Amino acid sequence: MRTRIVKACGDPVLDGGIMEQAARIIKEGGLVAIPTETVYGLAGDALNPDSARKIYEAKGRPSDNPLIVHIAREEDMDAIAKDIPDEAYAAAERFWPGPLTMVLYKKDIVPYETTGGLDTVAVRFPENPIAREFILAAGGYIAAPSANLSGRPSCTTAEHCRQDLDGRIEMIIDGGEVGIGLESTIVDMTVKPPCILRQGYINEAMLQEVLRDVGSDDAGHEVPDDSRPKAPGMKYRHYSPKGKLCIVQGERDSVISEINRLIREKESRGYRAAVITSDEDKDRYDIKAPVMVIGSLDDEDMIAHRLFSILRELDDMGIEYIYSESFDTPRLGKAIMDRMLRASGNNVIRI
Ligand code: TXA
Ligand code: MG
């Protein structure tokens, strides 16, 4: 299959029929990678079981891992979900369009292929204008996991989508770099109190403003393989760069000297190693190895934004061992560290 890559700037007049062509692909059961404000998504028709099957195949993803259904009008939540609690309407009012996904009981119209066999459906109303226009043009209900191959870091540019999906899907809509760079926050609204299944840009404190009480399922990191976790995707290895990632935690000076030591040791044995650090610490590494600067510790949005693309850059450079500082920042630290711990397979050195 030839994958068409088209540039979109979000202006339907300038985009000369791209949306119509993309919508036609979806209605005919094909797949299109689209930008959202979080990460790129791999879109198919959420109400067509064959589209869900194709998504699993294109991503190389196990079919018991449910897909998020994307809508572009708040009222469309009622068409695919039932027994919706008042709190879900309040959260939708406050955070949609935006990076919040809510798990609700599904209506029959949503096929089990889309929900990985579950009686619940994850619903998200993205904010990105290209995504919204696309969803409406394509029929209103779009299943879209992150557009990476299963297990790889999520895609924050169209080029990342091309690297993973060229030849596997009909079209990639290039909407430039995404804004946030981490996937949406997922909240299970079928339990009381609602429970955060995946940390994201909308953090616990923000949710508490409308949900009063909200729990979180941070145990997700060490779920044994035979259990059925609440967000089934959380049991799979995630975001993994090809190199072995290790997170070094502890007092800042000790972390830096330990990473310096580890990298020198790996290099002396002929391996290619690199460090992920902050603007503030970048000059404290006395090594020949690449020093990847993720951003300033004062700019946690930038750290979130850069994380997946740095992991991909390190892959492109053929790095075998990656040592990273922790970025446990006040607002997004939980979401950033969740992704980093998964990417490392919980490979942490505490000193
Ligand atoms: O920001 C995002 O959410 C991106 C963009 C493209 O919208 N999408 C995304 O999808 O991250 P994906 O498939 O990579 O991650 C969805 C997660 C998976 O861990 C999946 O198991 C969980 O959501 N999930 C989906 N439906 C669920 C359900 N009914 N109950 C519990 N977890 C669910
Ligand atoms: Mg994903």
Side-chain angles (χ1 to χ4, degrees):
M1 179 187 306
R2 197 181 79 85
T3 302
R4 267 189 73 200
I5 303 176
V6 294
K7 271 209 188 317
C9 58
D11 181 337
V13 180
L14 296 179
D15 288 347
I18 289 174
M19 285 304 165
E20 290 71 19
Q21 291 167 36
R24 196 172 327 122
I25 292 171
I26 296 296
K27 287 176 179 162
E28 289 170 358
L31 306 181
V32 178
I34 58 162
T36 82
E37 71 277 20
T38 55
V39 297
Y40 273 75
L42 171 52
D45 182 350
L47 307 184
N48 179 349
D50 286 335
S51 301
R53 280 188 214 106
K54 280 192 201 161
I55 290 175
Y56 292 120
E57 196 183 315
K59 264 183 80 80
R61 173 176 184 155
S63 58
D64 67 344
N65 190 354
L67 307 172
I68 294 176
V69 178
H70 295 64
I71 57 175
R73 293 181 306 196
E74 210 173 300
E75 60 270 28
D76 289 345
M77 168 165 72
D78 299 284
I80 52 174
K82 61 183 181 187
D83 305 332
I84 303 172
D86 289 344
E87 285 171 310
Y89 288 107
E93 191 59 36
R94 175 68 192 274
F95 298 114
W96 279 358
L100 173 70
T101 297
M102 293 194 280
V103 173
L104 300 161
Y105 288 107
K106 82 174 189 70
K107 282 190 173 161
D108 290 343
I109 183 176
V110 184
Y112 281 112
E113 283 79 357
T114 297
T115 65
L118 298 179
D119 289 317
T120 54
V121 59
V123 187
R124 157 155 147 78
F125 179 172
E127 196 257 308
N128 179 295
I130 299 171
R132 288 160 64 172
E133 192 189 331
F134 166 82
I135 294 165
L136 291 177
Y141 305 97
I142 293 296
S146 49
N148 52 291
L149 285 179
S150 191
R152 293 214 68 202
S154 298
C155 301
T156 57
T157 66
E159 172 55 20
H160 296 160
C161 300
R162 191 196 62 72
Q163 288 167 3
D164 281 19
L165 298 172
D166 194 19
R168 293 170 171 255
I169 62 174
E170 280 79 1
M171 185 186 266
I172 296 169
I173 300 181
D174 182 350
E177 256 187 69
V178 301
I180 294 175
L182 299 179
E183 305 85 346
S184 60
T185 306
I186 303 180
V187 181
D188 186 351
M189 289 291 182
T190 68
V191 293
K192 285 214 178 329
C195 179
I196 301 174
L197 303 182
R198 179 173 73 185
Q199 301 285 343
Y201 186 83
I202 295 178
N203 65 18
E204 213 163 310
M206 291 161 80
L207 286 166
Q208 269 159 357
E209 287 172 24
V210 285
L211 297 181
R212 287 190 308 275
D213 199 9
V214 56
S216 75
D217 189 18
D218 287 339
H221 292 302
E222 281 167 49
V223 180
D225 254 350
D226 57 351
S227 74
R228 202 166 166 83
K230 295 288 285 183
M234 301 311 228
K235 75 180 178 212
Y236 297 107
R237 189 148 184 243
H238 262 75
Y239 317 120
S240 305
K242 292 173 194 145
K244 194 166 168 47
L245 172 63
C246 175
I247 301 164
V248 184
Q249 292 183 336
E251 187 268 319
R252 206 152 148 196
D253 291 341
S254 320
V255 165
I256 291 167
S257 67
E258 179 66 1
I259 294 180
N260 270 315
R261 188 189 71 73
L262 285 162
I263 289 191
R264 279 194 215 106
E265 186 244 339
K266 285 290 181 294
E267 288 196 312
S268 71
R269 290 164 52 201
Y271 291 112
R272 306 188 65 180
V275 59
I276 305 177
T277 181
S278 63
D279 245 350
E280 287 81 354
D281 289 342
K282 66 176 188 292
D283 297 324
R284 301 181 65 192
Y285 288 95
D286 177 21
I287 45 175
K288 287 191 242 66
V291 175
M292 308 297 284
V293 179
I294 198 164
S296 163
L297 294 171
D298 294 333
D299 185 357
E300 45 184 321
D301 288 300
M302 181 57 79
I303 294 174
H305 177 80
R306 290 268 297 140
L307 177 61
F308 288 138
S309 78
I310 283 200
L311 294 179
R312 281 179 176 262
E313 280 168 49
L314 290 164
D315 276 354
D316 295 342
M317 291 157 69
I319 300 296
E320 295 160 289
Y321 286 92
I322 307 159
Y323 294 96
S324 180
E325 297 172 12
S326 274
F327 304 104
D328 212 349
T329 53
R331 186 167 43 85
L332 300 180
K334 267 197 167 174
I336 293 167
M337 291 315 295
D338 167 78
R339 304 313 189 270
M340 290 195 74
L341 286 167
R342 287 177 200 285
S344 75
N346 284 317
N347 184 19
V348 179
I349 296 178
R350 289 188 186 84
I351 47 169

